[in-house]
Amino acid sequence: MGLPPAGHRRRRTAPPPRRAPDVRPSPRTSDVPGPPPWLWLCLILFAIQVPGPIGRAVGAGRELREIDGTQHGLLTTTLLGLVQLLPLLFLLAAVLALLAPRARCRHVERRYGLLPPDHPLVAPPARRRPGVGETPVPHFHEQMAAVLAQHAPGVELRVSTRSRPSARVYPAGVRTARIGVFAPLVHLWHTDPEAARAVLLHELGHVRQGDQHVAGLGSPLVALVRAWPYVLAGLVVVPVVLLFATGDATARPVLAQVVLVLLSVPKVLLLVVAALWSAELAADRRALASCGPDSLVRALRSLGAADHGGLARLHHPPVRLRTRCALRSGEAGTHLLLTLLWPFALLVQLLLTTLGAATAFVLLGARPERVPGHVLALAHSSLTADPAWWATLAAVLLWPLVAGARSGGGRPRLLPSRPHAVAALLPACLLTVGLLPLAPGTADDLYARDRNPAPRVTASARPGAEGAGPESCPSASAPPAPAAPTGLPTFGPPPAPAGTAPPAPGAYRTAAVESAEELSGRAAWARDFGDRLRGARWTLHADGRLTSDAADVPVLRTTAAEGPTRLLGGRRTTRTDVSATTTWTEARLGADGNGAVRLELVRAVTQVLRAVVACRESTAVSRTVMRVTLRLRAE
């Protein structure tokens, strides 16, 4: 759709019939402040909770990698972690857009082809002198600029010939804003000027609330809402389907993580969409105060395709909802709906968190009878731990006072209005429940190995027990880390030809396994360990550390260096519910006269297994010691 000719004039013979006056909002509720600025609250809450999503994403990936020892699901787990981190990238972009409004302005105008009214491509040609009986009609640029000058001096107009959207606001600086007008609004201006004027007043409502810095054209939050469906399809659905198609052994734990990620999608979108919808409905309320509901309803019905098509439905409320709120703008229920939109989104987010936790517990093999207690404890603790509920309660109660002070008219409101007082009941009641004492569940019996565990028996009830009173069974906890074994072989620096250079820091790879000797235990264990080191990659760091991509070798640190030889050592302890395993590794890294690099390893592994059966504790200790010699080549 093109713009009308710049020199367009029409002959006016009689004034057009006047429309019936718009129905104004009821005086009883017209002075009720609008909803709090949920958009700004959403951005602030995202900013102060940045460490949480990072920690959850990294922790989830680490747990899945530990479960999947063969790393078959590494691609899927990496993508799932990336999905959880993407909102933080949009948040960073939103903060940068706040700090650089002029750069955002230049980007928006270049992308959407927005030009000033006096630009040669959109400016009207020179006017000819009007004839007899003709009344010159101002160009639509001038008419729109007059509306902006009347209601918001300083807001500038920009024009584009694109077919959507109709009009949008965006920042031009820290305290300045511009409104971009597109072809649908220009057409509406020539067919229904009052409805088009309502659209401009709606955009000015955004400017009055400061929404142009967070929403509007070029907003990263709006981009997050638009991009999230594609992110979900590309980074979650596709790799998970491929994982299940290959029959990967990690399908069950990954499925639990997938459920949490899939539920995190609406959790992220809920708050952003609720904030954007609330801002749009609040801007409608500003327009209603000047033009009435009839003009706004006609504008919504005329421009619905341009403003609400496709994914725009996510960041703009449905036309039916906006029309309903416009026609009932004077009712207290409408004000209550506007104020409760964000708290309801928080409540649904809490319910999704509870549902996701229950599903993940079941998928990971938790005992069904224990799941409800743990899920309720999780929901109970999240009520008071989440700052969003406290911020919501404070915003609902304090916003009427802030809005009255900003308006500058009349006496400031010291008490919240009835809609705000009723809306405050939801967060207040939930926070009261969160402050009540609740005994949280423990994880000791959440993942029981036996569906029908043996009853706990006290010492007085054991067969053959004598004397003493009741005494509890030993707890089924992991044993302490084993002590270092004694009598391990030690290295001494071997004689080396004069002038031999020590191995230089850098990357090496196992060229050959020269020997694998079992000092204690089975001989096959040493051979298996040597086989796992074939082709392993080693990195000698400048600070003396030696690391390997082999999972069985801990980080080795230099303990002594003499000539071309380094002595190194390291240890690592891993735990399960019933065992503790410690690996000690001593190493000697050196070079011979031919430039070959040899790595000698003495590896000792001690495992302590502890079990409690029928209140009787049993402990088993196993130890293996081996010596392996490798020849390395520099990469």
Side-chain angles (χ1 to χ4, degrees):
M1 179 189 302
L3 298 178
H8 171 72
R9 292 180 177 83
R10 56 187 176 92
R11 185 181 301 274
R12 181 177 296 173
T13 57
R18 297 181 61 85
R19 299 183 184 272
D22 290 333
V23 179
R24 297 293 178 181
S26 170
R28 181 172 56 89
T29 58
S30 60
D31 60 340
V32 176
W38 299 126
L39 264 177
W40 286 95
L41 183 62
C42 180
L43 186 62
I44 293 172
L45 288 175
F46 270 144
I48 65 177
Q49 297 183 72
V50 164
I54 294 179
R56 287 192 296 271
V58 174
R62 182 170 58 250
E63 292 172 3
L64 285 171
R65 284 193 295 272
E66 291 177 357
I67 294 173
D68 179 21
T70 59
Q71 303 290 310
H72 289 166
L74 182 60
L75 173 62
T76 302
T77 56
T78 302
L79 294 178
L80 294 179
L82 180 60
V83 169
Q84 298 180 76
L85 293 177
L86 273 179
L88 300 180
L89 301 180
F90 284 97
L91 169 63
L92 177 62
V95 174
L96 294 178
L98 286 177
L99 300 178
R102 297 184 185 276
R104 175 182 168 185
C105 177
R106 291 192 294 270
H107 167 72
V108 165
E109 293 182 347
R110 181 170 57 253
R111 177 181 177 184
Y112 291 94
L114 291 165
L115 302 172
D118 58 353
H119 193 277
L121 295 178
V122 294
R127 295 180 178 177
R128 64 178 178 82
R129 299 182 61 181
V132 179
E134 288 184 342
T135 302
V137 178
H139 195 265
F140 73 89
H141 294 171
E142 301 173 355
Q143 299 176 32
M144 292 182 177
V147 174
L148 299 183
Q150 177 186 357
H151 294 274
V155 177
E156 301 176 355
L157 182 71
R158 292 295 183 267
V159 183
S160 174
T161 59
R162 297 196 179 185
S163 58
R164 65 174 51 191
S166 60
R168 290 289 187 273
V169 66
Y170 58 96
V174 177
R175 297 187 177 181
T176 57
R178 293 176 181 173
I179 292 181
V181 172
F182 297 82
L185 184 61
V186 176
H187 176 74
L188 184 64
W189 190 272
H190 290 88
T191 57
D192 192 345
E194 291 298 323
R197 181 173 176 270
V199 176
L200 285 182
L201 294 175
H202 166 89
E203 298 301 324
L204 292 179
H206 284 302
V207 175
R208 182 173 177 81
Q209 298 170 172
D211 296 338
Q212 72 274 10
H213 294 287
V214 186
L217 286 179
S219 166
L221 289 183
V222 176
L224 169 64
V225 175
R226 288 181 174 273
W228 207 243
Y230 303 108
V231 171
L232 174 64
L235 298 183
V236 178
V237 176
V238 173
V240 170
V241 170
L242 293 177
L243 183 68
F244 289 151
T246 59
D248 194 283
T250 63
R252 188 176 181 87
V254 169
L255 181 59
Q257 183 65 16
V258 168
V259 170
L260 296 178
V261 173
L262 289 178
L263 289 178
S264 71
V265 173
K267 282 170 56 180
V268 171
L269 292 184
L270 267 174
L271 298 183
V272 179
V273 169
L276 291 171
W277 282 24
S278 179
E280 292 297 328
L281 295 174
D284 284 348
R285 191 172 179 271
R286 297 283 184 183
L288 290 170
S290 300
C291 65
D294 290 348
S295 299
L296 182 61
V297 169
R298 294 198 306 273
L300 292 173
R301 292 171 177 171
S302 299
L303 301 176
D307 288 338
H308 300 76
L311 293 178
R313 297 184 180 92
L314 292 177
H315 52 81
H316 273 69
V319 174
R320 183 176 299 179
L321 175 61
R322 297 179 66 179
T323 301
R324 184 182 182 89
C325 291
L327 294 176
R328 300 186 178 183
S329 58
E331 299 180 4
T334 302
H335 297 284
L336 182 61
L337 172 64
L338 294 181
T339 311
L340 276 176
L341 199 56
W342 169 275
F344 270 142
L346 272 179
L347 179 59
V348 176
Q349 185 188 57
L350 177 63
L351 296 177
L352 289 176
T353 301
T354 305
L355 176 62
T359 307
F361 280 146
V362 172
L363 289 174
L364 292 176
R367 299 176 63 183
E369 65 273 14
R370 299 294 183 181
V371 169
H374 285 269
V375 170
L376 290 178
L378 175 64
H380 178 268
S381 62
S382 64
L383 280 174
T384 53
D386 190 354
W389 286 109
W390 297 101
T392 300
L393 180 60
V396 172
L397 292 178
L398 297 179
W399 178 245
L401 179 62
V402 176
R406 288 181 58 190
S407 62
R411 191 169 53 185
R413 183 186 295 272
L414 300 179
L415 296 176
S417 61
R418 180 176 299 179
H420 289 79
V422 175
L425 290 177
L426 177 60
C429 292
L430 289 175
L431 287 173
T432 302
V433 173
L435 292 173
L436 294 177
L438 176 66
T442 62
D444 292 341
D445 56 353
L446 181 59
Y447 297 103
R449 298 178 183 273
D450 188 0
R451 294 288 180 178
N452 298 303
R456 298 185 61 170
V457 183
T458 61
S460 59
R462 298 178 198 166
E466 298 179 357
E471 184 179 335
S472 299
C473 290
S475 61
S477 58
T486 58
L488 291 180
T490 58
F491 289 110
T500 303
Y508 296 85
R509 190 171 292 277
T510 302
V513 178
E514 295 185 348
S515 64
E517 179 185 2
E518 191 73 26
L519 304 179
S520 171
R522 297 181 180 179
W525 293 350
R527 291 195 299 269
D528 291 342
F529 180 64
D531 291 339
R532 290 196 296 271
L533 295 184
R534 296 184 188 277
R537 189 175 185 272
W538 306 81
T539 302
L540 180 60
H541 301 268
D543 59 359
R545 291 180 298 116
L546 180 65
T547 58
S548 174
D549 61 355
D552 297 328
V553 180
V555 176
L556 302 177
R557 291 176 170 81
T558 298
T559 58
E562 182 178 345
T565 303
R566 289 177 180 269
L567 300 183
L568 307 100
R571 61 176 292 177
R572 179 168 56 199
T573 299
T574 58
R575 297 178 183 272
T576 66
D577 293 340
V578 295
S579 67
T581 303
T582 301
T583 301
W584 293 269
T585 303
E586 302 292 334
R588 180 170 62 187
L589 180 67
D592 57 19
N594 299 324
V597 177
R598 279 183 171 80
L599 176 63
E600 298 175 80
L601 298 172
V602 172
R603 179 174 182 264
V605 181
T606 301
Q607 182 183 58
V608 179
L609 181 65
R610 178 178 181 271
V612 177
V613 180
C615 281
R616 294 184 179 274
E617 178 182 352
S618 61
T619 303
V621 179
S622 62
R623 181 177 293 113
T624 178
V625 182
M626 62 191 68
R627 184 167 185 163
V628 178
T629 304
L630 308 175
R631 187 172 72 250
L632 308 182
R633 57 179 174 81
E635 289 192 329

